[in-house]
Amino acid sequence: MVKNGFSILELMTTIGIIAIIGAVGFPAVDNFGDQDNYETDLATLRGQLSYVRQLSLEDGNAYTIRIVNNDTDKTADIEIWQAQGLNRYNVEYHKEDTSPKCSDFDGTNDKGTKLDNLTKKLENMTVKRCTSITGACSTETTDNNFFCFLPDGSSPEGVRAEIQASQNAGGKTDYLHTYATGFYNNGDRM
C-alpha cells in the first residue's frame, strides 16, 4: 500500500531550511538600496567637485561650492558661486603672496554670484567641513562650509569634510579630502 504526502520529519526539515534562509537573507533584503542611496549622493557630490574644477579651468574664474545642510532631514544643497573680480586676468590673483579668501572673494563680504541652475541636492547625506585636515573633525561654521577652486583649477588650501549618511544610506560616516592641487578623494587622506 502506497501513501501519498510528506512525513512529519520531511515537513519539519523543509520548514527549518526555509527559516534559516529567511534569517540569513532578510537583513540583506532589509538594507537593499541603502548602499545605492549612498553611492548616488556621493556620485553627485564628486560630480559637482569635478564639474566646478573643470569650469574654473575653462573660463578662468574662481568658484566656491557651498554646502547648505539640513541636519533634520540629513539632506544638503550643493550651491555653486562664481567669484566676481577674481579671475586669471586679475593682477591680484597672480601676486606671489596673495592668498584669496574664498569665503569673501572681494573683501566686502561678497560671496560672488550664485548659479542657481547648477545647484544639486543630496537626498541622503550631509557634508560638513572640518576645522583641520587631521585629528577629530570639529566642524566649521555654516558660513565656512565650502570648497574653493581658483582660476587655474587649484584650491588655496587642503580641506577635509565629514560626510554623514542618513539611515536610508547606511548611516555611515566617511570623509572627503581636497588638496591644494584641486584634486580630491573620499575615504582616507592620501
Side-chain angles (χ1 to χ4, degrees), residues 67-77 121-129 139-142 145 162-167:
I67 310 294
V68 180
N69 293 307
N70 179 333
D71 290 323
T72 304
D73 296 336
K74 288 282 191 220
T75 62
D77 288 333
K121 187 159 192 80
L122 301 176
E123 300 289 340
N124 297 290
M125 68 174 51
T126 57
V127 180
K128 296 180 181 177
R129 182 175 163 157
T139 57
E140 288 277 5
T141 63
T142 303
N145 199 30
E162 182 180 74
I163 299 171
Q164 182 61 54
S166 70
Q167 291 306 312

Side-chain angles (χ1 to χ4, degrees), residues 29-146:
V29 171
D30 187 42
N31 292 331
F32 186 75
D34 288 359
Q35 186 66 25
D36 287 342
N37 290 340
Y38 178 79
E39 292 296 331
T40 298
D41 275 0
L42 186 60
T44 300
L45 178 60
R46 292 173 58 99
Q48 286 295 86
L49 287 167
S50 294
Y51 178 74
V52 171
R53 181 173 186 269
Q54 185 63 34
L55 194 60
S56 70
L57 284 165
E58 287 177 6
D59 71 11
N61 285 298
Y63 290 89
T64 57
I65 299 173
R66 295 188 171 277
I67 310 294
V68 180
N69 293 307
N70 179 333
D71 290 323
T72 304
D73 296 336
K74 288 282 191 220
T75 62
D77 288 333
I78 305 172
E79 299 177 347
I80 310 303
W81 293 73
Q82 180 182 10
Q84 301 302 304
L86 181 59
N87 57 49
R88 70 175 75 134
Y89 307 110
N90 184 318
V91 174
E92 290 298 313
Y93 168 69
H94 293 285
K95 286 184 180 176
E96 199 63 37
D97 62 348
T98 298
S99 178
K101 287 180 61 185
C102 293
S103 61
D104 179 15
F105 280 127
D106 67 0
T108 61
N109 294 322
D110 184 8
K111 295 179 184 177
T113 302
K114 183 179 175 187
L115 306 175
D116 287 320
N117 59 324
L118 296 181
T119 297
K120 301 281 185 189
K121 187 159 192 80
L122 301 176
E123 300 289 340
N124 297 290
M125 68 174 51
T126 57
V127 180
K128 296 180 181 177
R129 182 175 163 157
C130 303
T131 56
S132 75
I133 59 172
T134 59
C137 180
S138 298
T139 57
E140 288 277 5
T141 63
T142 303
D143 286 343
N144 290 325
N145 199 30
F146 62 85

